[in-house]
Amino acid sequence: MTTEATPDVLSAELDTAFAAFADRPALIDETGASMTYAQLNAMANRYAHALAASGVGPGDRVMVQVAKSVSNLALYIATLKAGAVYNPLNTAYTPAELDYFMGDAEPSLLVIDPKAADALMPLARQNAVGAVRMLDANGDGDLADLAADQSDAFETVPRAASDLAALLYTSGTTGRSKGAMITHENLASNARTLVELWRFTADDRLLHALPIFHVHGLFVASNVSLLAGASMIWLPRFDAEQVVDLMPQATAMMGVPTFYTRLLATDRFTKDAAASMRLFVSGSAPLLAETHDAFADRTGHRILERYGMTEAGMITSNPYKGERRAGTVGYALDCVSVRIADEGGTEQGVGDVGVLEVKGPNVFAGYWRNPEKTAEDFREDGYFISGDLATAEEDGRITIVGRAKDLIISGGYNVYPKEIETELNDLAGISESAVIGVPHADFGEGVVAVVTLAPGEATLSEEAILSRLQGRLAKFKLPKRILIADELPRNAMGKVQKNVLRDAHAALLTS
Ligand code: MCA
Ligand code: AMP
């Protein structure tokens, strides 16, 4: 018997939550002031009208590079209600990086901080962006002004499960960033599964200190909280001392491993400070077993580690009840299939290392205007090739053991060595470069570049190279150190041996 799948549309599910939890607090700020679901809904509705008034129609991209604020969250929800495609960008991206995104995504509206207007307006004109509006860190600006005059009611534009809800750029091993096309079903199915698995309810208060331009802060933390009717303690950024102060009001937190190492580094973070908490979730980068154990010793809580990626949302999770084993990422989520395969796609045996492949309603619709790359990363039977190396146990428990892709994860942000190497190689005076990730006490991995200089450039210094990279690359991508070498180690095939460099410089950023 075939059962017809119910269409999963995130905007419709959010509307259901807004109606069901109207009088409950959706957001609480650091002073304790709160905003109800009805108020957040009304604000999002006003923004949805403002989007329409700015020329945004269904399917149009709304590109957003603004500081985290309540208005920013309302703008995200408004974009979904308007049937448009939300395209958030890391606030650290430089104008040079935005130039590329504008040309690729062709947004009908760009929303930026007024401080960036001088640098970005000319680029928006060159890229024929439909309209540009402002929103600052306090939620003020001409977009907010436009929204303020609009009606509190908005008829959500009907969407199909397969319609795009968001476009998120992820860098790649082969060059420019690619836009991951994320559907309403991807987001709705993932959020619902996590609400259930992690037992979120309207009684929860989630400490929200993640940025909302990536999957973790936006689709995991925010969508899960909103669909559950929970409250978010809405913080502009992660500050360990502030988080310790506010923790007694919270029941749950989601963070990257750096959040947890920074909490452990403050003596004020005690078992008592965490007494009201029922759940700590970690992801976006590997959580060291020693961090997991130290956290359990300090607080009595075992951090729940999960694994995911932009293209597939959340893929696996340790159990809520049951063993949360340090160093593993748990089991495939409900309705999600994973397999560990070799390069040819043949499934590996229990315990054998291979690349993790994933299939399910969480898996994205492909790369924006890039069918070749999409075809390359999907198997014929619909599995997406993650590029992460993993093993599976007999009962399906997954451990991520490494990466088949050349990728550094620093404080939860992805940095692709290829992108940095391309910039370095373009600089006059540099002959060649190799960018590696080495252990970093705070960020897990830190970016290091090893370069060789062109003949006659012996005076080019580390500082000079770094200053030339500034403004071209987001700050978190900038190498923490640039080492000048006579030559790069190569194997018999002439390929740079990054493992040799990683071993040689393993202690560079920890000592
Ligand atoms: C800031 N800096 C960094 C990073 N963050 N450098 C390397 N890696 C970083 N992650 C640099 C700044 O440029 C600055 O340099 C200096 O460090 C201090 O900056 P500041 O802004 O004060 O840093 P911070 O506020 O303490 O930020 C650190 C942070 C933040 C809290 C760890 O990076 C963060 O919130 N990370 C979370 C990222 C995240 O949400 N990832 C999820 C991706 P200078 O001193 O030179 O000015 S989603 C994902 O991966 C998948 C789907 C998943 O599974 O979740
Ligand atoms: P992004 O492209 O920003 O979505 O980053 C996704 C990548 O983060 C994955 O492909 C993994 O390499 C990594 N990642 C996410 N969660 C974990 C985790 N719990 N352990 C190890 N790596 C992780």
Side-chain angles (χ1 to χ4, degrees):
M1 200 182 83
T2 50
T3 49
E4 203 158 315
T6 12
D8 289 303
V9 177
L10 184 68
S11 46
E13 302 228 4
L14 285 171
D15 278 345
T16 304
F18 284 126
F21 305 111
D23 298 330
R24 307 277 310 181
L27 297 166
I28 304 171
D29 73 12
E30 56 257 65
T31 69
S34 67
M35 178 184 239
T36 64
Y37 272 81
Q39 289 168 324
L40 178 61
N41 188 34
M43 188 177 193
N45 287 341
R46 292 193 295 272
Y47 271 92
H49 285 294
L51 291 178
S54 305
V56 174
D60 286 352
R61 275 76 57 211
V62 176
M63 181 176 281
V64 178
Q65 190 193 37
V66 300
K68 180 179 175 184
S69 67
V70 171
S71 306
N72 182 186
L73 182 69
L75 174 60
Y76 158 63
I77 298 166
T79 305
L80 299 177
K81 283 174 178 265
V85 181
Y86 193 66
N87 176 211
L89 297 178
N90 193 321
T91 47
Y93 288 152
T94 62
E97 289 166 308
L98 256 81
D99 191 14
Y100 166 74
F101 294 130
M102 288 182 218
D104 192 59
E106 296 187 306
S108 58
L109 175 65
L110 170 69
V111 184
I112 54 173
D113 191 289
K115 286 205 281 291
D118 286 349
L120 296 179
M121 288 299 260
L123 298 177
R125 269 193 296 276
Q126 277 163 34
N127 285 293
V129 171
V132 183
R133 296 212 179 268
M134 310 291 154
L135 198 60
D136 71 12
N138 299 318
D140 295 327
D142 66 0
L143 183 65
D145 296 342
L146 182 62
D149 294 333
Q150 309 292 329
S151 159
D152 283 355
F154 181 86
E155 190 79 24
T156 293
V157 174
R159 293 272 84 184
S162 59
D163 281 334
L164 295 193
L167 184 66
L168 261 70
Y169 280 96
T170 76
S171 298
T173 45
T174 49
R176 305 314 294 255
S177 295
K178 310 158 302 228
M181 299 192 289
I182 297 167
T183 68
H184 275 270
E185 182 184 22
N186 294 156
L187 297 180
S189 69
N190 216 226
R192 263 204 326 256
T193 300
L194 297 175
V195 167
E196 206 160 301
L197 180 67
W198 296 341
R199 306 199 180 179
F200 271 83
T201 70
D203 291 330
D204 273 307
R205 289 177 307 282
L206 176 75
L207 264 170
H208 194 306
L210 286 159
I212 56 165
F213 42 69
H214 278 311
V215 167
H216 198 163
L218 192 60
F219 302 149
V220 187
S222 303
N223 285 352
V224 164
S225 189
L226 291 170
L227 290 197
S231 312
M232 290 185 268
I233 302 175
W234 193 251
L235 304 175
R237 56 183 287 277
F238 180 80
D239 171 339
E241 298 298 330
Q242 184 184 41
V243 163
V244 173
D245 288 340
L246 294 171
M247 200 170 279
Q249 301 168 31
T251 63
M253 187 177 94
M254 297 183 195
V256 296
T258 300
F259 285 20
Y260 295 107
T261 52
R262 287 190 183 181
L263 281 173
L264 286 169
T266 160
D267 292 338
R268 294 179 55 234
F269 182 58
T270 58
K271 194 175 175 121
D272 277 352
S276 64
M277 296 291 283
R278 67 167 186 88
L279 179 64
F280 291 93
V281 177
S282 177
S284 307
L287 181 76
L288 294 179
E290 66 191 59
T291 309
H292 183 103
D293 293 341
F295 201 90
D297 287 348
R298 179 87 66 93
T299 65
H301 285 280
R302 301 192 72 82
I303 298 172
L304 186 156
E305 184 170 9
R306 65 24 169 214
Y307 155 77
M309 61 190 304
T310 301
E311 290 91 335
M314 296 303 100
I315 300 168
T316 72
S317 171
N318 269 280
Y320 187 81
K321 286 257 177 242
E323 190 193 359
R324 299 181 193 170
R325 199 187 307 160
T328 78
V329 294
Y331 303 93
L333 301 184
D334 260 6
C335 304
V336 174
S337 307
V338 301
R339 68 183 179 205
I340 311 297
D342 68 9
E343 272 186 22
T346 305
E347 193 152 0
Q348 301 291 91
V350 169
D352 292 339
V353 176
V355 175
L356 186 139
E357 300 185 357
V358 53
K359 184 176 174 178
N362 56 320
V363 176
F364 75 135
Y367 292 112
W368 173 253
R369 295 181 178 166
N370 200 341
E372 298 81 20
K373 185 66 189 154
T374 304
E376 219 173 89
D377 286 356
F378 277 91
R379 299 279 178 206
E380 272 179 11
D381 60 1
Y383 275 81
F384 172 70
I385 306 166
S386 73
D388 289 309
L389 295 172
T391 58
E393 292 172 31
E394 189 76 54
D395 69 349
R397 183 184 281 274
I398 302 290
T399 302
I400 305 293
V401 298
R403 296 173 202 133
K405 51 196 175 191
D406 191 12
L407 161 69
I408 300 165
I409 304 184
S410 175
Y413 288 142
N414 288 8
V415 180
Y416 278 87
K418 176 83 185 164
E419 188 184 0
I420 322 297
E421 289 160 2
T422 305
E423 291 289 343
L424 283 166
N425 297 346
D426 278 355
L427 296 181
I430 289 187
S431 175
E432 50 181 7
S433 62
V435 169
I436 53 170
V438 301
H440 187 290
D442 189 28
F443 294 133
E445 284 182 287
V447 178
V448 168
V450 184
V451 303
T452 64
L453 302 180
E457 297 286 350
T459 55
L460 193 57
S461 68
E462 176 174 7
E463 293 70 32
I465 299 171
L466 199 57
S467 76
R468 288 207 236 153
L469 283 182
Q470 267 153 7
R472 297 169 72 110
L473 291 167
K475 264 189 156 184
F476 68 87
K477 298 179 187 170
L478 293 176
K480 302 289 178 204
R481 289 292 313 274
I482 298 177
L483 307 176
I484 296 172
D486 291 335
E487 58 181 5
L488 299 178
R490 291 184 184 276
N491 65 14
M493 311 290 289
K495 192 172 182 304
V496 175
Q497 292 169 302
K498 290 200 171 178
N499 55 331
V500 172
L501 292 173
R502 275 191 287 266
D503 290 346
H505 304 299
L508 189 69
L509 301 180
T510 48
S511 50

